[in-house]
Amino acid sequence: MNDRTTSDWRRAPSEPVAHGDRTGSVKAFVAHRNLLFTVAYEMLGSAADAEDILQETWLRWVGVDLDTVRDQRAYLVRITTRQALSHLRTLGRRKESYVGPWLPEPLLTSPDVADDVELADSVSMAMLLVLETLTPTERAVFVLREVFDLGYDEIAEAVGKSPAAVRQIAHRARAHVAARRPRRVTSAAENRRTVEAFQRAVETGDLQSLLDILAPDVVLLTDGGGVVQAALAPVVGADQVAHVLGRIAAALSLQPTQVNGDPALIVRQNGEIDTVVAMRIDDGLVTGLYAVRNPEKLSHLERETTLRR
């Protein structure tokens, strides 16, 4: 976050301040802040970058004459989307030089996110990785249409395209995602049982119990960002994944939680967060493990992040 705007930004998302005609701007921004963060996060996969986008949105919004704004929510979403689109193109170039697999920045989410099936699906690690395969404009259109149900006219204004072009982009993006969309066919109760069994197997080093709950084609992705040790390529197959998990030291503590609406384990060493492992579970088997170890991506795991559609 830029120092030059910190004081102004810190005041914006909190209680409205009486600065003449800024009061209305602050109230509107605070009312929609969680929605704007969710839009930016789903487009970027980074909470830190999403916060930066909100800062830019605020700086532009505070200078807008509210008398000229018909729909404040749509206007704010438009500003956020344009800023996120610009940032997404820069982020893409950064990812090209990233060391090892890149994973989204995990967010500690409340149970109500998991209860909202559509929201949980859209922010899951698996889905965010699918969205990474879209072009920036396709991703923006898909997120705004499929997740937030914005009209084609509104989306067209946000991405600088005609409504007809947006319809075509939406159709193309929808088909692309549908071909790669992860399944969700496990109940919350079954998820809990699988996570508990997974945790016991890892903590006790019970290889057979671990193999019993790993799908044969399970994939483990580890993101160390070149900062900490991590596998530089996906680990594929139950035997290989179980071998890697078997190296987890008994001194590490495992804490069940919810990350991005999915079941997860926070791994602590000496009381400090070392890794977060988000889990994709299908039919009671673990089919995907997303282990984020890059310290720069672990700052949002000490408190819940509020997401809204």
Side-chain angles (χ1 to χ4, degrees):
M1 190 169 293
N2 298 329
D3 291 340
R4 64 183 173 81
T5 56
T6 297
S7 59
D8 203 9
W9 164 246
R10 290 297 182 189
R11 303 180 74 171
S14 57
E15 295 182 3
V17 232
H19 279 326
D21 58 3
R22 274 198 183 187
T23 301
S25 298
V26 173
K27 286 182 178 178
F29 187 89
V30 171
H32 299 298
R33 186 193 186 283
N34 292 333
L35 165 69
L36 301 177
F37 176 87
T38 308
V39 170
Y41 176 73
E42 290 205 24
M43 286 186 61
L44 301 172
S46 165
D49 290 325
E51 292 285 3
D52 286 344
I53 294 304
L54 259 65
Q55 178 183 356
E56 294 299 324
T57 298
W58 163 250
L59 292 175
R60 283 160 176 73
W61 172 246
V62 77
V64 172
D65 180 358
L66 297 189
D67 291 337
T68 66
V69 177
R70 179 176 54 85
D71 185 334
Q72 294 181 348
R73 176 182 181 273
Y75 198 102
L76 281 162
V77 168
R78 184 161 73 244
I79 297 174
T80 299
T81 301
R82 288 176 176 173
Q83 296 305 310
L85 263 175
S86 176
H87 195 77
L88 190 57
R89 296 184 177 101
T90 303
L91 199 59
R93 291 192 291 273
R94 237 193 291 163
K95 289 173 187 172
E96 291 174 2
S97 59
Y98 198 80
V99 178
W102 179 93
L103 289 174
E105 187 175 349
L107 301 178
L108 189 65
T109 49
S110 58
D112 66 325
V113 172
D115 292 340
D116 185 336
V117 177
E118 290 185 7
L119 178 59
D121 177 65
S122 70
V123 298
S124 70
M125 288 287 198
M127 177 57 79
L128 290 175
L129 287 175
V130 171
L131 295 182
E132 284 291 310
T133 63
L134 296 172
T135 68
T137 301
E138 286 174 342
R139 185 166 183 169
V141 170
F142 181 86
V143 167
L144 295 179
R145 180 63 183 173
E146 299 301 315
V147 182
F148 299 100
D149 199 29
L150 265 65
Y152 290 112
D153 289 345
E154 289 179 283
I155 299 173
E157 290 187 25
V159 301
K161 302 282 185 181
S162 70
V166 165
R167 285 179 181 274
Q168 292 180 341
I169 294 169
H171 176 76
R172 186 167 65 245
R174 194 179 302 118
H176 180 96
V177 171
R180 297 162 178 80
R181 182 187 290 273
R183 298 179 301 145
R184 276 183 176 269
V185 291
T186 305
S187 68
E190 193 169 15
N191 276 348
R192 283 193 297 273
R193 287 194 294 271
T194 302
V195 172
E196 288 170 0
F198 179 87
Q199 181 177 354
R200 281 196 305 271
V202 172
E203 288 177 334
T204 60
D206 187 340
L207 181 61
Q208 187 55 55
S209 294
L210 191 55
L211 288 171
D212 288 343
I213 54 176
L214 293 177
D217 57 351
V218 62
V219 177
L220 165 65
L221 297 175
T222 56
D223 179 343
V227 181
V228 296
Q229 185 176 4
L232 298 180
V235 181
V236 182
D239 288 338
Q240 294 298 319
V241 171
H243 178 69
V244 172
L245 294 175
R247 299 175 188 168
I248 295 180
L252 300 180
S253 66
L254 306 181
Q255 171 193 344
T257 189
Q258 290 275 337
V259 166
N260 289 55
D262 275 338
L265 291 172
I266 291 179
V267 182
R268 294 181 184 271
Q269 185 170 30
N270 300 322
E272 299 295 325
I273 295 178
D274 177 85
T275 307
V276 61
V277 183
M279 307 169 68
R280 175 179 162 189
I281 300 171
D282 298 302
D283 294 323
L285 293 177
V286 178
T287 57
L289 290 165
Y290 310 95
V292 180
R293 303 204 65 226
N294 185 345
E296 295 178 0
K297 294 186 176 184
L298 300 177
S299 61
H300 282 75
L301 293 173
E302 297 289 3
R303 64 187 185 283
E304 288 183 354
T305 298
T306 303
L307 300 174
R308 289 286 181 267
R309 283 197 299 135

